[in-house]
Amino acid sequence: MYAEERRRQIASLTAVEGRVNVTELANRFDVTAETIRRDLAVLDREGVVHRVHGGAVASQTFQTTEFSLDARFRSAPTAKSAIARAALRYLPEPHGGLFLDAGSTIGTLADLIAEQPNASQWSIVTNSLPISLNLATRGLNEVQLLGGSVRAITQAVVGDTALRTLALMRADVAFIGTNALTLDHGLSTADAQEAAIKSAMVTNAHKVVVLCDSTKLGTDYLVSFAGIDDIDVVITDPSAPESFVTALREREVDVIIAED
């Protein structure tokens, strides 16, 4: 496991549990206590956690930092691949419609959708430039890219034109990515315009399936776009804290743990 990914998991675990211990983290990640102390020092400088004697406690700050799409694809690739494969079971019946929002895990899912027999049977609407080009060039005929402004960092289409189009649409399933997921703030992201598109997809879909690797659980970004009660399924990986998974299930969310 790369240091960056380990630190993201530590941040998520701290947010969920409220407090973490150096010794327990060293055992969990099979590294030395000194390595964990360095990780906590980095996270403390970034404002993600607060160092305390013997460990760290959660920061209450809403995050605003965004990473490029390439950087997101490099983060937790194994988990994202397993999550995307698990999401295939939620594809609608033939000739059904689906929303795909912009994001690295959703992009991984789009690759798998293109490989399915008779993939052109589904009507797909997306606000992702890479996803639309990938699907269209692989022979899928029913792919609609929303119109509007393009955000360079995520290569996502946003704005009033896209929102007006989505208001007229309905889908059987929305596959949604997120920067963060907490019980109080729900699904959140850094940018208000992207949040608006995600929210519209959630509102206009019969079933909402969230693809969310464990590094995002318990973290909070500035703009919430859906509450826990708005989603039907969360697909995550085995590193998800058990207490968080239990809490989601108690809120009647179907949680799927995607094995590698």
Side-chain angles (χ1 to χ4, degrees):
M1 179 183 294
Y2 292 111
E4 180 182 354
E5 184 176 340
R6 184 179 62 249
R7 288 167 189 159
R8 289 187 65 192
Q9 291 201 18
I10 291 171
S12 177
L13 188 65
T14 307
V16 170
E17 302 293 344
R19 184 185 182 103
V20 291
N21 176 275
V22 168
T23 302
E24 292 174 355
L25 289 174
N27 292 333
R28 180 186 183 97
F29 293 103
D30 194 25
V31 296
T32 66
E34 185 57 35
T35 296
I36 294 298
R37 292 189 185 95
R38 287 196 296 268
D39 288 341
L40 294 179
V42 171
L43 293 172
D44 183 82
R45 287 195 298 271
E46 293 175 349
V48 178
V49 305
H50 294 304
R51 288 288 307 277
V52 296
H53 180 69
V57 297
S59 170
Q60 299 303 314
T61 303
F62 290 109
Q63 298 184 51
T64 58
T65 303
E66 288 190 277
F67 298 96
S68 70
L69 193 59
D70 287 342
R72 294 181 189 187
F73 270 111
R74 292 194 299 270
S75 174
T78 302
K80 289 178 178 178
S81 179
I83 289 168
R85 288 196 302 273
L88 291 174
R89 74 182 72 173
Y90 295 100
L91 287 170
E93 295 295 321
H95 310 296
L98 54 145
F99 294 144
L100 299 177
D101 86 336
S104 55
T105 313
I106 306 298
T108 303
L109 172 62
D111 276 334
L112 296 177
I113 290 175
E115 295 172 357
Q116 302 304 299
N118 302 316
S120 291
Q121 66 187 328
W122 294 299
S123 296
I124 299 174
V125 176
T126 184
N127 69 320
S128 167
L129 286 176
I131 288 175
S132 63
L133 287 171
N134 180 20
L135 295 179
T137 56
R138 293 173 68 177
L140 278 72
N141 302 321
E142 298 295 326
V143 179
Q144 179 169 343
L145 173 65
L146 297 173
S149 303
V150 179
R151 297 192 71 233
I153 191 168
T154 58
Q155 300 176 41
V157 177
V158 297
D160 290 342
T161 301
L163 287 172
R164 286 196 297 270
T165 303
L166 275 174
L168 303 175
M169 293 181 163
R170 298 295 183 270
D172 296 289
V173 184
F175 292 102
I176 303 294
T178 184
N179 292 77
L181 171 57
T182 65
L183 299 175
D184 294 331
H185 204 216
L187 308 177
S188 59
T189 191
D191 182 75
Q193 288 190 305
E194 286 206 40
I197 298 295
K198 291 173 181 284
S199 181
M201 288 183 173
V202 168
T203 298
N204 293 334
H206 177 68
K207 181 185 287 290
V208 177
V209 180
V210 179
L211 282 60
C212 178
D213 69 77
S214 60
T215 65
K216 300 172 181 177
L217 301 178
T219 60
D220 237 336
Y221 270 71
L222 187 63
V223 188
S224 175
F225 62 86
I228 298 299
D229 296 339
D230 297 321
I231 61 182
D232 301 294
V233 181
V234 169
I235 307 177
T236 188
D237 59 77
S239 295
E242 185 176 347
S243 59
F244 198 92
V245 172
T246 299
L248 285 175
R249 288 171 173 162
E250 288 175 349
R251 297 280 292 271
E252 299 185 349
V253 176
D254 188 11
V255 181
I256 305 300
I257 306 298
E259 302 288 345
D260 293 344

